[in-house]
Amino acid sequence: MTISPMTTEPRPTPVTTPANGMISSDFDTFLKMLTVQMQNQDPLNPIESTDYAVQLATFSGVEQQVRTNDLLTGLAAQFGLLGMAQLSGWVGQEARVTAPVHMAGMPVTILPDPATAADRAVLVVKDTAGRTVAREDVPVSDAPYQWLGADAAGDPLPAGTYALTLESYKGEEFLSSSDVESWARITEVRGGTAGTTLVLAGGVTVEATKVTALRAP
């Protein structure tokens, strides 16, 4: 009688959990996979019980982390709504902020901040395409200035949004260029994953954290 040699099936590989934590929270699916693994293991070379314990502990830890992340996301959204509710009182007020200004035929109050050593300050006006449409000498002072919205020829600019920067000079020497703050009315407060955003007159948007002052219109 010939006895065939007994063959040993390869030992099943334990179920592993991705190290990056990207795992489904479906615990039933994991248990089904574990059951199939137990049913198909080699009875002469079974998986150690400690391997099962490690798999269960690892899955449980990652599942808990997934749930924690979901909870934190929910809390962040709630805090965002809370901040938006608190800022709703800002609607209708004017915000002092560095942002493009909306010109619609009425003067815009800007707040130039020339360099300390400057003896000349030039307001540079650019349209939404980035083209320079006006250069205007303004007082070398940090006092509020009423910008009338005129082009290089002195004619009124079309209604629209314009970016303002201030160039500081000492004689013919260029010192610096800086953004210009202005006052604009707040028309809306929006919440989002990136934080609370304010909508200014003309549709200009800016982060609420960029506001440096508020005043009644």
Side-chain angles (χ1 to χ4, degrees), residues 56-70:
L56 288 169
T58 301
F59 183 87
S60 178
V62 176
E63 182 187 33
Q64 184 62 40
Q65 184 62 49
V66 170
R67 292 181 178 178
T68 300
N69 291 342
D70 291 341

Side-chain angles (χ1 to χ4, degrees), residues 150-209:
D151 61 17
D155 298 322
L157 289 168
T161 302
Y162 298 91
L164 307 180
T165 55
L166 187 73
E167 294 180 350
S168 297
Y169 294 86
K170 183 177 182 180
E172 297 300 321
E173 179 187 359
F174 172 76
L175 298 178
S176 64
S177 177
S178 58
D179 294 329
V180 177
E181 286 190 321
S182 62
W183 288 101
R185 184 171 58 87
I186 301 171
T187 61
E188 184 182 348
V189 177
R190 295 176 180 173
T193 56
T196 305
T197 301
L198 304 178
V199 181
L200 308 179
V204 176
T205 59
V206 64
E207 296 177 14
T209 55

